């Protein structure tokens, strides 16, 4: 059965309750008896006083009567009358006070006729004095010598009543004293018992509440210090026991969670180190690739350069052959020679283009602030003839200054604008729009961390023939063309160069188009390049 702290407290105080109740009853009883004793003593003194006053009033009446008899003056009758009235009043009061005491009532039954008798005699003597004279009254008084006996009898009855009252008082005082002694004893014993009982209750409560709470507090402190193996001993099945069990469960959970966390932390660390290793490998691969790329570029550059020489000779000798022996070659020979010269020329163009492409990275200039508006103006001047020929219209918006290679920016704009002018619908003059806007983007630096960068978005849009957007990627590859050379001149290198330039400046280039609905080329470039960003 679960024995809650509340139950324990109730049980402890219930044990103390009967003792307190006994002490309460005894105290009540003792106090009531002391109050009664005091009331009784008061009552006794009231009776005794009443009796004394009654006798005293009687004596007053006697004194008044004597005064009148001797002097015959009425003024002595006043104390007489007051005394008579006082006697009767006091007698009545004493009777009321002792109504529950048969002994005293009996005594009063004796006293009352005596007083009556005495008062009758006194009144009779006054009457004689008034009506007959002093002699006669004095004679009568001397005859009534028995009046003294009446007074003595009365006094002795009153004394007996007083003695009875005093005896009763003593009896009650004895009883009160013994009650007081019992109460005192009960109090002392009760107090000792209470102290012992409360001590026992306190001991048990401390054992079942305070001690386990302290243990719990120590365990919580240990957990706080990082010792997750700490557990508390649960000895009771009350709330504190429940608290201990919950604490142990919590510590267990915490320990498990921490160990899980440690494991996942370990795994995470391993993952991070693996990722770092992979990044390291990727970096070294990139470095190797860059080296081989550079080797390849060098090779392309050297090869193109070296190929130019024999090509030049082929063209030169072909030219001589044509001029000196052209007539002897015959029609077919001339045709062969002509085709050979054409192919050689084309090869020369291709080699030139390859050289141009390889120079984008091999012969790039350092980055400086470049005013794109000025660059666009120069390009338009260069393309003046082409613009006039096509009858096209150009609209150039505000262009900013960016950090870049000025020559390559010019190349970029030139290739894009010349394409826009070139790939026009037959008989329809092209309209080309060049505009730009700034935005913010997050770029990764060499360490792999991202940072906000101000970017430029440059668009070159035309109203020409356009192309199917599924070729959007292909057109940026070297020598890839979507249209026949006979329709639109070119080698298919312009956009490849553009992409290389843009990538060298940490930017991007994409195209949007639909056949017959014009094309839009979007270039993004950072306004400022991080140091050493370009090759
Ligand atoms: N504005 C455009 N409208 C439609 N097609 C385009 C446009 N620009 C490029 N193209 C397509 O992409 C191909 C590749 O363009 P790119 O500039 O690389 O080569 P090119 O202009 O044909 O030759 P080059 O630029 O070497 O003189 C073009 O041949 C053409 O088919
Ligand atoms: Mg082109």
């Amino acid at each position: 059965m679960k024995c809650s702290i509340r139950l324990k407290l109730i049980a402890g105080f219930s044990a103390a309750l009967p003792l307190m109740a006994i002490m309460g009853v005894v105290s009540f009883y003792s106090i009531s008896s002391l109050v009664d004793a005091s009331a009784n003593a008061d009552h006794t003194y009231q009776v005794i006083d009443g009796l004394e006053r009654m006798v005293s009033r009687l004596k007053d009446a006697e004194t008044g009567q004597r005064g009148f008899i001797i002097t015959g003056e009425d003024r002595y009758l006043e104390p007489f009358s007051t005394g008579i009235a006082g006697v009767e009043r006091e007698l009545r009061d004493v009777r009321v006070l002792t109504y529950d005491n048969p002994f005293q009532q009996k005594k009063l039954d004796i006293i009352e006729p005596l007083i009556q008798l005495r008062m009758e005699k006194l009144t009779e003597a006054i009457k004689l004095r008034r009506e007959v004279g002093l002699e006669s009254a004095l004679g009568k008084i001397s005859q009534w010598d028995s009046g003294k006996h009446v007074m003595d009898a009365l006094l002795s009855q009153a004394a007996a009543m007083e003695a009875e009252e005093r005896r009763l008082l003593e009896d009650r005082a004895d009883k009160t004293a013994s009650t007081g002694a019992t109460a005192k004893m009960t109090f002392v014993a009760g107090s000792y018992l209470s102290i012992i009982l409360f001590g026992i209750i306190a001991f048990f409560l401390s054992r079942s509440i305070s001690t386990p709470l302290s243990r719990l507090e120590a365990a919580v402190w240990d957990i706080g210090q990082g010792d997750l193996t700490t557990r508390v001993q649960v000895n009771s099945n009350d709330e504190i026991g429940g608290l201990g069990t919950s604490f142990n469960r919590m510590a267990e959970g915490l320990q498990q969670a921490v160990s899980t966390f440690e494991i996942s932390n370990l795994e995470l660390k391993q993952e991070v180190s693996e990722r770092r290793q992979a990044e390291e490998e990727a970096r070294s691969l990139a470095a190797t690739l860059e080296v081989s790329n550079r080797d390849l570029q060098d090779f392309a550059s050297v090869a193109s350069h070296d190929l130019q020489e024999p090509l030049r000779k082929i063209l030169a000798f072909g030219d001589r052959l044509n001029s000196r022996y052209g007539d002897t070659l015959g029609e077919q020979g001339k045709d062969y020679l002509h085709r050979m010269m054409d192919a050689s020329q084309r090869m020369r163009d291709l080699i030139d283009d390859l050289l141009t492409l390889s120079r984008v990275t091999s012969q790039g200039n350092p980055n400086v602030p470049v005013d794109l508006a000025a660059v666009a103006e120069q390009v338009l001047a260069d393309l003046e003839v082409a613009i006039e020929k096509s009858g096209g219209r150009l609209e150039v918006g505000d262009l900013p200054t960016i950090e870049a290679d000025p020559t390559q920016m010019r190349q970029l704009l030139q290739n894009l604008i010349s394409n826009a002018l070139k790939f026009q619908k037959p008989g329809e003059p092209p309209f080309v729009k060049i505009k730009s806007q700034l935005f913010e983007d997050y770029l990764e630096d060499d360490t792999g961390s991202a940072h906000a960068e101000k970017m430029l978005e440059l668009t070159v849009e035309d109203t020409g023939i356009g192309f199917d957007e599924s070729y959007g990627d292909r057109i940026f590859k070297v020598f890839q063309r979507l249209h026949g050379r006979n329709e639109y001149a070119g080698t298919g290198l312009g956009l490849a160069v553009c992409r290389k330039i843009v990538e060298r400046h940490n930017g991007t280039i994409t195209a949007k188009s639909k056949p017959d609905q014009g094309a839009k080329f979007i270039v993004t470039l950072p306004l400022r390049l991080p140091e050493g960003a370009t090759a």
Side-chain angles (χ1 to χ4, degrees), residues 13-24 197:
F13 285 104
S14 301
L17 219 58
L19 189 69
M20 311 257 284
I22 290 167
M23 282 172 69
L197 200 65

Side-chain angles (χ1 to χ4, degrees), residues 362-390:
S362 64
Q363 288 180 19
N365 297 309
N367 293 315
V368 289
V370 180
D371 179 1
L372 290 181
V375 172
E377 220 171 282
Q378 287 165 9
V379 170
L380 294 191
D382 289 349
L383 294 173
E384 204 180 336
V385 179
I387 297 168
E388 260 174 34
K389 212 171 124 192
S390 67

Side-chain angles (χ1 to χ4, degrees), residues 445-466:
D445 58 22
D446 287 347
T447 60
S449 55
H451 62 280
E453 189 68 60
K454 274 215 169 110
M455 304 285 290
L456 158 74
E457 186 186 85
L458 179 77
T459 52
V460 179
E461 199 174 352
D462 63 62
T463 52
I465 55 170

Side-chain angles (χ1 to χ4, degrees), residues 36-209:
D36 281 355
S38 153
N40 285 334
D42 196 38
H43 176 265
T44 301
Y45 291 121
Q46 276 181 14
V47 173
I48 291 169
D49 276 0
L51 287 169
E52 279 172 1
R53 274 199 304 276
M54 184 185 75
V55 172
S56 161
R57 295 293 97 82
L58 198 58
K59 283 180 181 166
D60 288 349
E62 268 185 14
T63 313
Q65 179 242 25
R66 273 193 206 114
F68 180 74
I69 287 173
I70 293 166
T71 62
E73 290 174 15
D74 277 353
R75 65 187 168 94
Y76 287 103
L77 287 180
E78 201 205 322
F80 171 76
S81 323
T82 320
I84 296 290
V87 169
E88 283 172 346
R89 195 177 59 245
E90 297 300 340
L91 184 69
R92 225 176 17 252
D93 286 354
V94 171
R95 196 175 271 289
V96 171
L97 281 169
T98 58
Y99 78 96
D100 57 345
N101 189 333
F103 177 84
Q104 300 292 52
Q105 290 291 311
K106 258 185 212 157
K107 290 285 175 204
L108 285 174
D109 287 346
I110 299 168
I111 287 171
E112 200 172 342
L114 287 173
I115 288 172
Q116 211 60 49
L117 186 66
R118 185 72 188 136
M119 285 197 306
E120 274 170 19
K121 295 291 179 198
L122 292 178
T123 313
E124 202 177 321
I126 286 171
K127 201 176 168 193
L128 271 176
R129 173 70 176 88
R130 196 188 291 277
E131 289 172 2
V132 185
L134 175 66
E135 304 297 271
S136 170
L138 285 175
K140 202 73 179 171
I141 289 171
S142 60
Q143 268 179 27
W144 289 339
D145 195 31
S146 60
K148 188 176 169 331
H149 299 297
V150 172
M151 196 61 184
D152 288 346
L154 201 147
L155 286 175
S156 105
Q157 291 303 324
M161 278 184 80
E162 188 179 330
E164 172 64 8
E165 282 300 319
R166 288 197 188 280
R167 189 190 60 75
L168 281 176
L169 190 64
E170 263 170 42
D171 270 8
R172 283 165 189 159
D174 284 352
K175 234 187 230 169
T176 309
S178 101
T179 313
T182 315
K184 204 167 149 190
M185 276 256 304
T186 317
F187 253 119
V188 172
S191 303
Y192 279 122
L193 264 174
S194 303
I195 289 167
I196 292 167
L197 200 65
F198 278 114
I200 292 168
I201 292 169
F203 171 74
F204 278 109
L205 285 183
S206 145
R207 229 179 63 157
S208 62
I209 298 173

Side-chain angles (χ1 to χ4, degrees), residues 12 28 39 60 67 110 184 191 262 278 290 301 309 314 317 443 492 530:
F28 177 75
D60 288 349
I110 299 168
K184 204 167 149 190
S191 303
E262 274 170 0
E290 208 178 308
S301 163
E309 186 50 32
I314 291 172
F317 284 115
L443 297 183

Side-chain angles (χ1 to χ4, degrees), residues 204-224:
F204 278 109
L205 285 183
S206 145
R207 229 179 63 157
S208 62
I209 298 173
S210 215
T211 313
L213 271 181
S214 312
R215 264 194 239 128
L216 201 62
E217 190 194 358
V220 170
W221 170 261
D222 285 349
I223 290 272

